[in-house]
Amino acid sequence: MEHADVLILGGGLVGSTLALALDAHGITSIVVDPADPAITLAPGFDGRASAIASASGRMFAAIGLGDRLEGLGCPIASIRVSDGLAPGALDFEPDADDGALGVMYENRALRIVLNDAVRAAAGIDMRMQTRATSVDRGAQGVSAVLSDGTRVRASLLIAAEGRNSPTRYAAGIKIARWSYRHNAIITAFDHEHPHENCAFEIFYPAGPFAILPLRDVDGRHRSALVWTVGERDAGGMLKLSDRGFLAEAERGMGGFLGALSNLAPRSTYSLGFHHAARITAERLVLVGDAGHGIHPIAGQGLNLGLRDVATLTEVLVDGKRLGLDPGDPALLARYERWRGFDTLSVAVATDTLNRLFSVPGKTASAVRRFGLSAVQALPPLKARFMAEARGESGELPKLLQGFPA
């Protein structure tokens, strides 16, 4: 029977980052994921991209990914928020000394970098195209039988399987869940005018219309799009011709990026909220979407999972220094306390923001524009919002500050 300190179910962006963060501190892991690398790492941009907050970027550098990521992303120098195309926008432009608010990466580029780093890490045993067919958690540890017949053991089970985590269900952990009855349309395109490293969030009654800067490719200006539409409209948006879709997108942004072209593949997913009643159980920890899922209105979903990674790494490293087993109840209780309030706070804030901007009518729109103008005029409040965008609010784990745990 093979053994590691932790068994991670799910080798996506969060699960792989966690394995690398633990490996950087001498904690071994077995990572099990059913995905086929031939598909997840396939050539060609699939239109999906993620904003990595500056704090998350510091963690990537601290665990040895800085050089691998160099030149692959587009810095987010500013964010412009508006209620429709009406006047009264809110601009977040940090001082030059503060650096970018974050960096936009194509998800495929992140997956390739993480995959290469995981394969090179001595303390990570990656098992792709494999599932855990049975898992047993008990006082003495965790054991699992994998789909290839292998039996593995660990001191702690970590579920990084996403929002429909079977491990969470098997553990009997209840979740609060609801649907927003909206879908996000994900894609990317070329545009005539440069984006100047600015991310745009335009709020319409159906939801936010977010234009996110990507790095130029062969001199072509490029941005990603996350377009929230009613769930009944999502199918029709996917069926539009590329030309028709680009025309609708250009109308949605008021044409400020000029003519659009070269549309990437489109995909969609339903938007919903879920939050686990607890994120630990006996020798079990939930990370990322297994424990919480929020509206993409503030682009913090992945960063929230990366904050889980930084926190859990610090907790387990501190426990290792004290000679504690990774599954020690005291360590899991510390993780629960540290992450529980932060994840709930962000979830409630994004849910409230979405509901506020979804109220139809001219009066509601006027109130929102007044609120945006008020924040624009109050530097301390703007600074607080920018700290949230950078992922720098609350009690930051050492990795998010750029230091080893």
Side-chain angles (χ1 to χ4, degrees):
M1 183 179 286
E2 300 172 49
H3 180 270
D5 293 320
V6 302
L7 171 61
I8 303 174
L9 301 184
L13 298 180
V14 171
S16 292
T17 303
L18 175 59
L20 287 166
L22 294 175
D23 177 71
H25 295 85
I27 297 176
T28 60
S29 63
I30 296 171
V31 183
V32 177
D33 193 287
D36 183 353
I39 297 174
T40 59
L41 306 177
F45 179 34
D46 64 4
R48 299 181 184 184
S50 294
I52 301 300
S54 56
S56 300
R58 285 194 288 272
M59 177 172 69
F60 281 156
I63 63 175
L65 297 177
D67 290 342
R68 293 177 184 268
L69 290 168
E70 186 67 33
L72 296 181
C74 177
I76 302 173
S78 61
I79 300 173
R80 184 174 178 84
V81 182
S82 66
D83 184 64
L85 298 174
L90 173 58
D91 296 303
F92 296 103
E93 296 178 290
D95 295 333
D97 294 341
D98 294 334
L101 293 164
V103 180
M104 283 297 304
Y105 293 99
E106 297 177 12
N107 279 15
R108 175 180 166 272
L110 288 175
R111 288 194 294 267
I112 291 173
V113 164
L114 290 170
N115 179 73
D116 290 347
V118 164
R119 296 294 180 186
I124 303 174
D125 181 359
M126 174 67 86
R127 311 284 187 94
M128 297 299 291
Q129 294 180 272
T130 308
R131 299 177 183 273
T133 56
S134 68
V135 179
D136 180 50
R137 293 182 289 112
Q140 303 306 312
V142 177
S143 63
V145 178
L146 307 184
S147 55
D148 61 4
T150 307
R151 298 179 67 87
V152 297
R153 289 188 301 114
S155 297
L156 177 65
L157 178 66
I158 302 171
E161 305 154 306
R163 61 180 56 214
N164 295 315
S165 167
T167 302
R168 183 187 67 223
Y169 284 111
I173 297 176
K174 296 181 179 180
I175 60 169
R177 180 197 294 272
W178 57 79
S179 170
Y180 290 113
R181 307 190 70 78
H182 286 87
N183 277 44
I185 306 291
I186 311 297
T187 188
F189 44 70
D190 292 354
H191 42 84
E192 181 182 1
H193 306 313
H195 49 54
E196 298 180 345
N197 293 24
C198 181
F200 300 89
E201 187 126 33
I202 305 170
F203 286 96
Y204 290 110
F209 181 98
I211 308 147
L212 308 167
L214 297 174
R215 66 189 180 101
D216 287 359
V217 177
D218 298 327
R220 305 189 333 262
H221 308 308
R222 196 146 179 83
S223 289
L225 176 67
V226 181
W227 186 352
T228 301
V229 300
E231 60 182 359
R232 294 182 179 179
D233 300 324
M237 296 296 289
L238 294 181
K239 292 178 182 177
L240 280 175
S241 67
D242 285 4
R243 183 177 179 181
F245 185 90
L246 288 173
E248 290 297 321
E250 191 172 331
R251 186 176 300 113
M253 65 183 71
F256 64 82
L257 288 177
L260 309 183
S261 61
N262 196 21
L263 186 68
R266 283 166 272 171
S267 60
T268 186
Y269 65 92
S270 59
L271 299 180
F273 172 101
H274 71 271
H275 195 85
R278 52 197 171 95
I279 52 175
T280 62
E282 184 181 32
R283 293 194 178 274
L284 171 64
V285 164
L286 308 182
V287 296
D289 284 355
H292 43 74
I294 62 175
H295 196 285
I297 192 168
Q300 290 300 307
L302 175 56
N303 290 294
L304 206 57
L306 295 176
R307 285 161 84 155
D308 292 346
V309 167
T311 304
L312 182 58
T313 299
E314 185 164 329
V315 167
L316 295 183
V317 169
D318 284 349
K320 181 181 179 181
R321 294 191 184 109
L322 295 172
L324 297 177
D325 180 287
D328 190 286
L331 298 182
L332 304 193
R334 182 185 176 203
Y335 174 74
E336 178 88 48
R337 288 193 303 271
W338 197 342
R339 293 302 300 137
F341 179 74
D342 179 55
T343 54
L344 182 60
S345 297
V346 174
V348 170
T350 54
D351 181 70
T352 302
L353 196 60
N354 174 64
R355 294 178 188 278
L356 172 65
F357 275 94
S358 297
V359 177
K362 293 183 178 179
T363 300
S365 180
V367 171
R368 287 192 293 268
R369 291 200 302 275
F370 174 79
L372 292 174
S373 299
V375 174
Q376 180 82 341
L378 295 171
L381 195 52
K382 282 187 70 174
R384 175 63 186 270
F385 277 108
M386 282 195 286
E388 291 287 349
R390 291 180 185 276
E392 296 174 348
S393 60
E395 182 187 353
L396 283 189
K398 293 174 185 175
L399 280 175
L400 294 182
Q401 299 176 53
F403 305 115

